[in-house]
Amino acid sequence: MPYSHTVRGVRHGFENLRTLLAKASPARSGDELAGISASGAEERVIAQMALAEIPLHAFVQEPVVPYEADEVTRLILDTLDMTALNDVASLSVGEFRDWLLSDVANGERLAALAPGLMPEMAAAVSKLMRVQDLILVAKKIDVVTRFRTTVGLPGRLSTRLQPNHPTDDPVGIAASMLDGLLLGSGDAVVGINPVQDSAASVTTLLRMIDHVRVRYAIPMQSCVLAHVTTQMDAMRQGAPLDLLFQSIAGSEAANESFGVNLALLAEGEAMARELKRGGLGEETGGEHVYYFETGQGSALSANAHHGVDQQTMEARAYAVARHFKPMLVNTVVGFIGPEYLYDGKQILRAGLEDHFCGKLLGLPMGCDVCYTNHAEADQDDMDALLTMLGTAGVNYIMGVPGADDVMLNYQSTSFHDALYLRRLLGLRPAPEFEAWLAGDGIGRLMQIGQPSALLPG
């Protein structure tokens, strides 16, 4: 249905809710590339004023991607907890913003609200928020998950130890793992992006990480970020898989471009749970077994965005994640490139939006604070985003040797960046990992002469 707003006697119209959301989005290159962004600051502000007046129930009545054409839309609407939504159902988007910023909206009430929120509602209210608003509301929300470590507790900051290598060389990976562990990294997950997407390669890498975990009694979980079907093949071959990885997006067509759908994700989840490797959840085999990655622009890059702005499509990906109760979710915020987030300012805003929307929807959000080398961004921009995410209560960040991923060829955050943020904000690692660091485990690691000593056999 059409929407409008009158400014100084002039009526400004918007064809539908999808168009209004796109025009109200803060400027970013991806929406400009798609031809759906506001023409300038004036139209953007008018769209935001119109959006502020839209009642939240309008999003239920007018899906931005048609129900009959998209399984993600069906998932969102069919699983929506209308009872949970009752707390705010009568509010407009603007009133919802004011409610979120009020003292009434404490962590307990926000957690209860999460199952009743559509991603589009979260995206809409974020478009009306300043950076400080995104930080303040996200800080109220704690989303805690457990496998062998407990991630997301107040006063804690975890890291993914990312020991990638351009040839999957075991010694090179071991060197990065040793470096990261000695610097207190790895309590969220030790996760390798493999060069070869094969069951044999995945199994070899998982066995290597598991060997280190068992030998040095390290409370941590592993993941090899191959395609979910490759990891399923590896499980069939006896691989010691902890967390199951997959990139996801906000539409059925975009997920198809990743080679997945909801049924396949459910099949993988069932297989991973059956392994019962979760050290803190033996009675259920570990409830949290998925590690999902997302990123603004993925649906557009697959020509699967349905005319919806990239930030709203990103929020819809969180509905997919929420359905599977993941251990970890992170937005790889600047990884896709300047075609979608042009510079440091756009990357910073997008990272805070994604973190806010994910937390509001009940997800254990981390962020890969990153950029590609052809973006108009540098490490100063990443330091700013890193610090803001720390104050917003981000669950975890990446730990990459020297902040330079030599396999994926992009810039991220280092082991030392995590130490900076922990020291600055008085944050600590996951409690199980912290206890290991304080015990004799790290002393045993320090006695290792060569990284090859970590390898099996």
Side-chain angles (χ1 to χ4, degrees):
M1 62 176 288
Y3 299 89
S4 65
H5 189 78
T6 301
V7 179
R8 295 190 296 273
V10 178
R11 179 181 175 276
H12 299 265
F14 304 92
E15 182 180 357
N16 50 39
L17 190 53
R18 180 178 63 245
T19 301
L20 179 58
L21 285 166
K23 301 293 186 184
S25 285
R28 58 207 54 194
S29 52
D31 291 339
E32 294 174 10
L33 179 66
I36 60 174
S37 64
S39 59
E42 182 176 1
E43 185 181 26
R44 181 171 298 108
V45 170
I46 292 170
Q48 290 170 343
M49 294 168 70
L51 181 61
E53 298 171 350
I54 302 299
L56 290 179
H57 61 72
F59 294 94
V60 181
Q61 299 165 353
E62 188 181 344
V64 296
V65 181
Y67 180 92
E68 62 279 3
D70 186 82
E71 70 172 2
V72 175
T73 300
R74 294 193 290 274
L75 174 70
I76 292 168
L77 292 174
D78 292 350
T79 61
L80 193 64
D81 187 339
M82 296 302 295
T83 301
L85 182 61
N86 281 342
D87 211 14
V88 297
S90 63
L91 301 181
S92 69
V93 176
E95 290 169 336
F96 184 39
R97 172 190 175 274
D98 294 341
W99 183 86
L100 288 172
L101 291 168
S102 73
D103 292 337
V104 172
N106 57 27
E108 183 178 354
R109 293 190 71 174
L110 291 173
L113 174 63
L117 285 180
M118 293 176 63
E120 293 86 348
M121 297 173 184
V125 75
S126 75
K127 298 177 193 298
L128 306 183
M129 289 180 148
R130 296 169 58 184
V131 160
Q132 65 177 247
D133 300 336
L134 298 171
I135 293 172
L136 182 62
V137 176
K139 179 64 175 177
K140 299 180 183 184
I141 305 169
D142 297 319
V143 182
V144 180
T145 54
R146 297 175 174 87
F147 199 83
R148 293 191 190 93
T149 61
T150 305
V151 176
L153 291 167
R156 306 278 177 170
L157 173 71
S158 296
T159 63
R160 168 191 164 189
L161 202 172
Q162 187 170 311
N164 295 343
H165 192 276
T167 64
D168 284 347
D169 177 65
V171 176
I173 292 171
S176 295
M177 284 180 59
L178 179 59
D179 188 20
L181 289 168
L182 288 172
L183 289 169
S185 186
D187 53 331
V189 65
V190 176
I192 302 172
N193 296 88
V195 175
Q196 300 179 28
D197 194 291
S198 69
S201 177
V202 168
T203 300
T204 297
L205 293 173
L206 285 174
R207 285 177 175 163
M208 174 186 168
I209 303 173
D210 208 51
H211 169 76
V212 175
R213 177 185 72 83
V214 173
R215 179 175 179 181
Y216 294 96
I218 308 172
M220 66 184 195
Q221 39 277 342
S222 62
C223 184
V224 173
L225 285 69
H227 192 269
V228 64
T229 54
T230 307
Q231 295 167 82
M232 291 164 69
D233 286 341
M235 281 190 278
R236 294 185 185 102
Q237 297 176 19
L241 183 142
D242 290 339
L243 300 186
L244 188 63
F245 167 80
Q246 184 54 47
S247 294
I248 54 173
S251 73
E252 180 177 351
N255 283 322
E256 286 177 352
S257 75
F258 289 140
V260 299
N261 55 38
L262 297 179
L264 178 61
L265 293 175
E267 183 182 353
E269 178 190 38
M271 288 185 66
R273 286 191 177 186
E274 188 63 27
L275 296 180
K276 295 180 169 60
R277 290 180 57 83
L280 298 178
E282 294 89 343
E283 68 283 356
T284 61
E287 181 183 17
H288 309 292
V289 297
Y290 255 120
Y291 171 21
F292 289 122
E293 285 190 344
T294 66
Q296 288 194 29
S298 58
L300 175 58
S301 67
N303 194 28
H305 61 104
H306 297 272
V308 180
D309 68 273
Q310 65 182 37
Q311 190 248 333
T312 300
M313 289 304 294
E314 170 73 4
R316 282 170 55 91
Y318 302 154
V320 177
R322 180 172 63 178
H323 182 66
F324 293 100
K325 298 181 176 64
M327 174 70 183
L328 305 168
V329 180
N330 75 270
T331 167
V332 193
V333 62
F335 182 74
I336 303 182
E339 300 83 2
Y340 306 98
L341 295 169
Y342 180 71
D343 56 16
K345 181 179 177 64
Q346 292 189 9
I347 293 171
L348 185 149
R349 169 85 194 188
L352 294 172
E353 288 171 348
D354 295 349
H355 179 253
F356 162 84
C357 287
K359 280 284 187 73
L360 195 60
L361 293 167
L363 289 177
M365 288 301 294
C367 183
D368 192 344
V369 181
C370 64
Y371 65 100
T372 58
N373 289 315
H374 62 309
E376 288 294 323
D378 58 29
Q379 212 64 40
D380 285 346
D381 297 311
M382 299 306 103
D383 283 352
L385 176 55
L386 172 68
T387 305
M388 291 183 189
L389 284 168
T391 63
V394 70
N395 279 23
Y396 70 104
I397 61 170
M398 306 300 117
V400 179
D404 183 5
D405 193 303
V406 295
M407 185 278 229
L408 294 174
N409 293 309
Y410 78 115
Q411 308 303 311
S412 184
T413 46
S414 71
F415 308 135
H416 295 85
D417 290 329
L419 295 178
Y420 146 75
L421 203 56
R422 285 172 176 165
R423 180 176 296 180
L424 175 71
L425 301 176
L427 303 173
R428 295 150 59 194
E432 302 83 2
F433 195 79
E434 182 181 39
W436 175 80
L437 290 171
D440 65 354
I442 198 164
R444 292 173 61 199
L445 283 179
M446 291 179 68
Q447 295 172 13
I448 294 173
Q450 296 294 328
S452 57
L454 292 178
L455 302 180

